[in-house]
């Protein structure tokens, strides 16, 4: 009857082979079924290792283990479609044990993890890290060959509206279609990666083509509609480009400057732009303004001006519109058209609007004490309108400054109200109930059919 050790030797799925030295050669003394399956050899007792082991590292490991008495490992041994790891362990008396493991699944898992770490799971194209790695490699080659290199960045225009209107699943489908169209460009517009939510980057090797023409080719991919279920929608994109050696000397700098050019194209409405140094200065200004605006709101460094409203029949001033102004210590007067959109983008619009309404309420109280009775209007954004804290905050503002009903008017655009009509209807009724008047601003520019 076989011993427990013999039963275990035979039953384990780890390959085990015992070798013994015979006349300066290693021969099979014993083996289990797992070893014979993994090595794809019969491993008959007495067979010499140098005749049956295809990978020379195995034979070398056997010799080294006997010579120095230590374990030796041979990795990545390929046998047919399997990847094996072999460990040789000296057993004494001229015998060595060979332990064979199937590590194919481990290598496949590492390959998948490596792929996932470098690729976008939604679109299948590379991610930001993969783009920078590819760009580093391309830069090294461009320096060696003295060739030009370009980075093109594009951002979908109003992509948030697709998500909000059709749902995130349709937005994901759109991103996948965009990546396929960009990948199909091929030729000198190679490597396509998704480097942000709805932002893609392409690596280009311009020869005769100019940066402008390459950027235009990328923009032209949006000329035909994208099918989304039973719908077919048109989507535009803002495209920016930067090149080596003109605009930067490393991957991060080139990607950053192409991104700056893209934002310049988006803000100007041109759709296409090549990097310009003045755009970079604007970008620094933009970052500075975002940071300083938060401090300006907290410290009350803004100013509220009041544009009077006249009764044309009597010529009397009957009200005023509150207009926020900002005098920056370094940039001087910053137009509301510049810092209000920044507030919208960075979630500062809530604190900014509360400051404006709070200051307007305080001024109304001051005027009332002086015997001046005026109404004041102020703009609020969609973010303000759908903020669940708005009604509670305005109720406290009316109470703190003893505002009469109708003394404060909130100006909204049709677009804001139409974003979510049922919700807007509830909020507007609650605002009217606490005494706020409502006014549609820029009537006819949005939902003109109203």
């Amino acid at each position: 009857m076989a011993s427990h050790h013999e039963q275990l030797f035979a039953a384990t799925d780890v390959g085990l082979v015992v070798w013994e030295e015979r006349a300066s050669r290693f021969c099979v003394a014993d083996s289990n079924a797992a070893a014979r399956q993994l090595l794809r050899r019969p491993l008959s007792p007495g067979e010499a290792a140098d005749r049956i082991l295809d990978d020379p590292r195995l034979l070398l490991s056997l010799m080294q283990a006997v010579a120095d008495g230590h374990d030796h490992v041979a990795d990545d041994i390929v046998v047919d479609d399997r990847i094996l790891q072999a460990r040789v362990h000296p057993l004494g008396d001229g015998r060595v044990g060979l332990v064979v493991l199937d590590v194919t699944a481990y290598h496949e898992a590492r390959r998948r993890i490596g792929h996932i770490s470098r690729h976008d799971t939604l679109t299948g194209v590379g991610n930001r890290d993969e783009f920078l790695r590819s760009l580093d490699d391309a830069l090294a080659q461009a320096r060696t060959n003295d060739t030009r290199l370009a980075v093109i960045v594009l951002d979908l225009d109003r992509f948030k509206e697709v998500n909000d209107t059709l749902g995130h699943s349709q937005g994901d489908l759109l991103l996948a279609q965009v990546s396929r169209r960009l990948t199909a460009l091929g030729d000198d517009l190679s490597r396509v990666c998704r480097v942000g939510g709805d932002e893609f980057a392409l690596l280009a090797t311009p020869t005769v083509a100019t940066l402008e023409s390459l950027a235009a080719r990328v923009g032209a991919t949006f000329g035909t509609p994208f099918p989304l279920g039973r719908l077919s929608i048109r989507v535009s994109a803002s495209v920016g480009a930067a090149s080596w050696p003109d605009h930067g000397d490393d991957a991060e700098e080139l990607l950053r400057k192409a991104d700056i050019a893209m934002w310049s194209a988006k803000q100007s409405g041109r759709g296409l732009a090549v990097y310009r140094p003045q755009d970079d200065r604007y970008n620094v200004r933009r970052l500075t303004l975002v940071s300083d605006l938060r401090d300006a709101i907290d410290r009350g460094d803004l100013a509220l001006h009041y544009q009077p409203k006249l009764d044309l029949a009597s010529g009397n001033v009957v009200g005023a519109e509150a207009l926020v102004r900002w005098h920056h210590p370094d940039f001087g007067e910053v137009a509301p058209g510049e810092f209000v959109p920044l507030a919208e983008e960075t979630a500062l619009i809530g604190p900014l609007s509360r400051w404006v309404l709070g200051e307007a309420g305080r001024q109304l109280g001051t005027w009332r004490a002086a015997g001046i009775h005026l109404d004041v209007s102020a703009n609020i954004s969609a973010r303000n309108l759908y903020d669940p804290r708005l009604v509670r905050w305005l109720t406290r503002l009316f109470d703190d400054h003893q505002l009469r009903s109708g003394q404060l008017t909130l100006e909204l655009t049709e677009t804001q109200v139409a974003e979510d009509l049922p919700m807007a209807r509830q909020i507007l009724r609650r605002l009217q109930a606490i005494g706020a008047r409502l006014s549609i601003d820029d009537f006819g520019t949005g939902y003109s059919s109203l």
Side-chain angles (χ1 to χ4, degrees), residues 238-241 256-276 278-280 282-283 286:
S238 300
V239 184
R256 182 182 70 84
K257 288 185 174 178
D259 200 56
I260 289 170
M262 180 273 293
W263 280 108
S264 173
K266 187 179 288 285
Q267 289 158 358
S268 67
R270 298 193 308 270
L272 302 173
V274 174
Y275 172 78
R276 302 175 305 172
Q278 56 264 43
D279 295 331
D280 207 350
Y282 176 75
N283 194 56
R286 184 176 183 275

Side-chain angles (χ1 to χ4, degrees), residues 153-174:
V153 170
L154 71 91
D155 183 87
L156 303 186
D157 297 329
R158 305 174 73 176
F159 176 69
K160 184 177 182 297
E161 292 184 13
V162 176
N163 276 337
D164 291 347
T165 306
L166 303 179
H168 287 273
S169 61
Q170 295 296 89
D172 290 347
L173 179 60
L174 174 60

Side-chain angles (χ1 to χ4, degrees), residues 267 282 285-297 302 324 326 334-356 379-384:
Q267 289 158 358
Y282 176 75
R285 173 186 171 100
R286 184 176 183 275
L287 290 174
T288 303
L289 289 178
V290 169
S291 175
D292 292 350
L293 180 57
R294 187 183 304 274
D295 293 335
I297 295 170
L302 305 173
V324 64
W326 183 18
V334 182
E338 184 176 2
F339 71 83
V340 172
L342 288 180
E344 287 274 12
E345 294 172 17
T346 57
L348 287 175
I349 194 65
L352 176 61
S353 297
R354 286 193 292 273
W355 183 88
V356 169
N379 294 88
I380 65 170
S381 74
R383 284 198 182 193
N384 301 139

